[in-house]
Amino acid sequence: MYDVSVTVQHSAGIPGGYGFQMTCLTSPGNTPLAGYSNLGTNVKQKTITAGQYAGRTYVEQNGVLNNNVFTMKWTAPATGTGTVKFYTSANAVNNTGNTNGDNAGVASLTLPEFTTPLGVTGVVTPVSCNGGNN
């Protein structure tokens, strides 16, 4: 399980609100993946129910918010699923009804599947004396 945080940046003006949408797909194949949980108070999950993208689950902001950070947890799929890609779009809006100062952006993140399990090796070295910082 991973902590996921989407931070919406703006390039001009003083935004009155922020929003985002994000979906997760396998690559190749574009099979939709869910796995979202512990959604932040400003995040909701939706599933498309009809049409070409039926079954695709995504997360988005829960209304226009003055907070530009959105959080959730995501559980990686089982080994053998392959590469995973997140696709995100975001807005920083002036919330005045016109487009002066509105900003939009898109991003993607690719997580290749590791074929070798990760291992961690550590060595404990005590400090040389009480209060030491080595």
Side-chain angles (χ1 to χ4, degrees):
M1 184 173 287
Y2 296 89
D3 292 315
V4 177
S5 177
V6 176
T7 303
V8 181
Q9 301 293 330
H10 63 282
S11 59
I14 300 171
Y18 299 90
F20 87 106
Q21 283 187 335
M22 181 173 66
T23 191
C24 183
L25 307 173
T26 62
S27 176
N30 290 331
T31 302
L33 296 172
Y36 306 106
S37 63
N38 295 353
L39 303 177
T41 56
N42 54 354
V43 178
K44 62 183 174 181
Q45 179 174 292
K46 298 180 96 175
T47 301
I48 299 171
T49 58
Q52 178 181 359
Y53 301 109
R56 188 169 289 180
T57 299
Y58 64 97
V59 288
E60 68 180 8
Q61 84 285 349
N62 194 11
V64 177
L65 301 164
N66 61 2
N67 183 352
N68 69 328
V69 178
F70 304 92
T71 62
M72 70 219 72
K73 298 236 183 237
W74 179 75
T75 302
T79 301
T81 301
T83 298
V84 172
K85 287 190 109 172
F86 288 92
Y87 296 93
T88 305
S89 61
N91 290 311
V93 297
N94 63 23
N95 219 17
T96 62
N98 63 45
T99 59
N100 296 335
D102 288 355
N103 300 270
V106 296
S108 65
L109 171 66
T110 301
L111 302 175
E113 182 173 24
F114 288 100
T115 56
T116 305
L118 296 176
V120 177
T121 303
V123 176
V124 176
T125 305
V127 294
S128 59
C129 65
N130 186 23
N133 63 0
N134 59 342

